[in-house]
Amino acid sequence: DEHLPPAQRKLFDANIRQHSQRLRDMLDKLLALARLEHRQGLEDAVPVNLRELAESVTGDHAALLAQRVISCEDLIPSAVSTLGEPFLLRQALSNLLDNAIAFSPDGGKITLALESDGDNNPLIVEDQGSGIPDFALPRVFERFYSLARPASGQKSTGLGLPFVKEVALLHGGGIELRNRPQHGAEARLRLPARL
């Protein structure tokens, strides 16, 4: 409608751009997930230092962390690595950190840690949010399943955690998401230890 007042036109324009970007993001993530699901194994696997991986991912999120005044403590030892595809591992950890930020309160704290047990390196991402409702726990790894973000009330594409699951399986590991006894959620990305 060419006769809309400028303020209303600006609002509609912003709305269209926002939804177009969301659809574009969803399509990109869906295609990436579909490609991943059809792979039979790792390609070009190299040793990946998990501390360096975490530092790189938290660096990418520095502006968002600062905007929300969320601290991110990295407790991952410097000498631990796994054999894998750096790009996929980076995307998986980035998705987990995105969720931790989205569900953390402003001024909260996120902790990255690692519990090496010899065979596996569970990479742990903990937040101080409200946790995951009991009804949602069995469904969080389903495609398109998403919970509303506390700060905005908006939902994500629901493709991030299914992507993380596929990356974990491709690397011979797994992923668990659970509520912490104190408060908040804990994601455990299990990756084989590199000998």
Side-chain angles (χ1 to χ4, degrees):
D1 186 346
E2 294 180 18
H3 304 293
L4 284 175
Q8 212 173 9
R9 182 178 296 190
K10 187 175 180 180
L11 179 67
F12 281 128
D13 183 49
N15 213 3
I16 289 168
R17 287 178 192 275
Q18 178 186 9
H19 288 293
S20 295
Q21 184 61 47
R22 187 170 188 273
L23 286 172
R24 207 171 311 131
D25 290 346
M26 184 182 291
L27 183 58
D28 289 345
K29 287 180 179 181
L30 188 58
L31 290 172
L33 180 59
R35 281 192 299 272
L36 199 56
E37 289 173 337
H38 287 92
R39 289 185 46 183
Q40 300 298 314
L42 295 175
E43 302 168 359
D44 304 320
V46 297
V48 179
N49 182 290
L50 296 178
R51 173 71 181 237
E52 292 173 7
L53 178 72
E55 287 173 350
S56 175
V57 170
T58 53
D60 292 345
H61 290 76
L64 184 54
L65 288 163
Q67 179 185 359
R68 301 271 314 280
V69 197
I70 298 171
S71 64
C72 189
E73 185 177 17
D74 187 347
L75 303 176
I76 299 171
S78 58
V80 182
S81 62
T82 190
L83 194 64
E85 292 187 37
F87 177 77
L88 291 180
L89 292 173
R90 183 184 177 97
Q91 289 301 111
L93 184 55
S94 183
N95 283 338
L96 293 177
L97 190 55
D98 283 341
N99 280 351
I101 293 169
F103 288 96
S104 287
D106 290 349
K109 178 181 174 184
I110 294 170
T111 305
L112 303 179
L114 188 119
E115 288 180 7
S116 187
D117 65 8
D119 294 333
N120 290 293
N121 287 326
L123 190 57
I124 302 163
V125 180
E126 295 177 342
D127 66 54
Q128 296 178 330
S130 57
I132 305 157
D134 290 340
F135 68 85
L137 274 170
R139 301 192 61 199
V140 292
F141 295 105
E142 290 178 18
R143 271 187 190 195
F144 306 115
Y145 187 79
S146 180
L147 295 169
R149 274 47 184 154
S152 66
Q154 293 184 334
K155 292 185 176 188
S156 69
T157 61
L159 296 170
L161 288 176
F163 183 87
V164 173
K165 182 179 177 183
E166 289 301 321
V167 169
L169 293 173
L170 193 63
H171 282 80
I175 178 73
E176 299 165 20
L177 192 59
R178 61 186 178 202
N179 288 318
R180 298 173 62 217
Q182 308 85 343
H183 52 78
E186 175 185 279
R188 289 178 165 256
L189 177 58
R190 227 175 40 256
L191 299 169
R194 179 173 173 257
L195 304 174

